[in-house]
Amino acid sequence: MPPRIQQQTLFTRPMVAVLLCTLNGFAGFYLLLSTVPEYAAQTSGHTAVAGIITGALMASTAELAPAGRRSQGTGWNGVATGLGGTVGTPFGVLLAHRFGYQPLFVAGTVAPLCGLLAALFIVAPRPAPVVRPRVVTGIVRPAILRPFILLTAGAMASGAVVTFLPLAAPREPLWLTPVALLLFQLGITGSRWLAGRLGDRFGNRALLLPATLTTAVGVLGATLTGDSATLLILMLVFGAGFGTLQNATLVLMLQRAGRKGFSVAGAQWNLAFDAGLGLGGFCVGIVVQSTSYSIGFAVVSGLLLMVSCIALRDVRAGGEAEGEEK
C-alpha cells in the first residue's frame, strides 16, 4: 500500500476498526482449512493486514513523538507490539501442544476484538507532506541500507528460532519451549523500552554493534536444548539483543528519511523485518534437512557475526547527523 495513503487514511477510528475485524476474520478461517496451499494463502492475507496496521502505527508514532524523544516513542510502540508476542508466542505453543490447534485458532480469532475498544480513543496525527514514495529503490541509499541489512539478519535469527525451537527442543518437560519463547519475547519487549531511553541519551548508532553481537550470542542458546538453564538464559539474551536492534534500526531509518519520509521508512523497516522472518525459517529449514537444528542455528549466528562489520561501519560513518530532520 502506498505510504501516502497508509499514513493519511489508515489511522482513523473507522479504518482501524475495519482492519481489526478483517484480522479477526482471517484468524477464524484457519478453522476451516485443511491443505497446505490453503494455509499458505490464508497466512499471506493475515500477515498483510497485520503489516498494514504495524506500518501505520509506526508512522503515527514517529509523527506524534517529539524529535528529541523519538527513540522513547518507538520504544513504547515496541512494548505495545511486544506484549502481544509475549503472550501469544509461548502460550500459543503451549495450547497447540496440550489441546491441539483448534483452541489456538479460536483464541487468535477473539484476541483482535480487544483492539476495537482502543480504536475509540485514536487521534490521528496531521501527516507531513509526503515526497514521492521510493520504498524499494530508496533502500540502496547507504544510510538506509546498513540498518536494513542488520535488521534483516536479526529477523532471520528470530524467524529461525520461533519456527524451529519448538521442534528442536525436547517435548519433556512440557514447559521448556513455552518458557524459552516467553523469555525471548520478554527480552524483546523490555529492551525496546530501554533502547528507547538509551537511544535518546547516547544515540542509536552506538547501540547497533552491541545489539548485533548480543543477538548473535543469544541465538546459540537454541543449540543447547539439552541444558535447560543455559537455553533459558540465552533466549533472554537473544530477545534483549534483537529488541535493541529493532528499536535502534527503526529510529535511525526514520531520522535519516526525515519527517516527509516517515511512512516510507516505516515501510522499509517492515520489509526488512518481514523478509528476515520468512528467510530465516526458509533458509534454516533447508540447512536442517541435510544437517541438524544446531547447525542451522549456528549458521544464523555466524551470519550475524559477519554483518556486525556493517554495524561498525555505521558507527564510524560521521557524514549523517543522527538527529537531523529533513
Side-chain angles (χ1 to χ4, degrees):
M1 178 169 290
R4 183 192 306 271
I5 297 176
Q6 184 189 78
Q7 188 171 345
Q8 289 183 345
T9 65
L10 289 187
F11 240 67
T12 61
R13 292 185 185 92
M15 284 305 300
V16 169
V18 168
L19 287 169
L20 288 172
C21 289
T22 304
L23 196 66
N24 168 268
F26 272 115
F29 275 120
Y30 280 112
L31 295 167
L32 308 176
L33 306 181
S34 58
T35 66
V36 173
E38 289 175 346
Y39 278 111
Q42 174 72 5
T43 302
S44 298
H46 195 181
T47 53
V49 176
I52 291 171
I53 295 174
T54 304
L57 179 63
M58 283 182 186
S60 296
T61 300
E63 285 283 352
L64 291 168
R69 301 185 66 184
R70 188 159 293 133
S71 295
Q72 294 182 56
T74 59
W76 281 111
N77 178 26
V79 170
T81 55
L83 286 175
T86 300
V87 175
T89 303
F91 290 105
V93 172
L94 187 61
L95 271 176
H97 280 179
R98 191 77 175 179
F99 303 106
Y101 288 100
Q102 284 199 343
L104 176 63
F105 294 148
V106 171
T109 303
V110 174
L113 296 177
C114 300
L116 292 175
L117 295 176
L120 299 175
F121 302 97
I122 284 177
V123 178
R126 180 183 296 275
V130 182
V131 297
R132 182 181 177 184
R134 298 183 182 273
V135 175
V136 177
T137 57
I139 294 172
V140 299
R141 179 184 166 199
I144 298 296
L145 183 61
R146 290 193 294 268
F148 184 92
I149 293 174
L150 292 172
L151 178 64
T152 301
M156 286 181 67
S158 176
V161 168
V162 172
T163 301
F164 292 109
L165 182 62
L167 302 176
R171 283 296 186 106
E172 298 294 337
L174 185 64
W175 53 266
L176 180 60
T177 300
V179 170
L181 293 175
L182 175 63
L183 290 174
F184 169 56
Q185 293 291 340
L186 286 173
I188 291 177
T189 304
S191 63
R192 286 290 300 262
W193 172 81
L194 182 60
R197 298 185 66 85
L198 293 176
D200 282 336
R201 186 169 183 179
F202 302 108
N204 289 279
R205 186 182 286 134
L207 300 178
L208 292 178
L209 183 59
T212 304
L213 295 176
T214 303
T215 306
V217 171
V219 75
L220 290 175
T223 68
L224 304 172
T225 53
D227 186 340
S228 300
T230 305
L231 169 64
L232 297 179
I233 291 171
L234 287 180
M235 282 298 100
L236 183 62
V237 171
F238 178 34
F242 185 45
T244 303
L245 189 62
Q246 286 183 43
N247 211 68
T249 53
L250 174 58
V251 178
L252 286 172
M253 292 173 76
L254 289 170
Q255 290 174 336
R256 291 167 182 180
R259 187 167 182 262
K260 294 180 180 179
F262 279 167
S263 294
V264 174
Q268 291 168 334
W269 190 94
N270 270 299
L271 179 61
F273 186 87
D274 293 336
L277 289 179
L279 285 172
F282 176 76
C283 295
V284 171
I286 292 176
V287 174
V288 165
Q289 286 182 354
S290 55
T291 57
S292 66
Y293 290 114
S294 295
I295 292 177
F297 295 133
V299 167
V300 177
S301 178
L303 174 65
L304 282 161
L305 291 175
M306 288 176 60
V307 301
S308 64
C309 64
I310 297 176
L312 186 60
R313 170 70 181 88
D314 200 274
V315 172
R316 292 177 175 175
E320 301 106 358
E322 185 175 307
E324 183 182 1
E325 292 289 342
K326 299 179 181 177

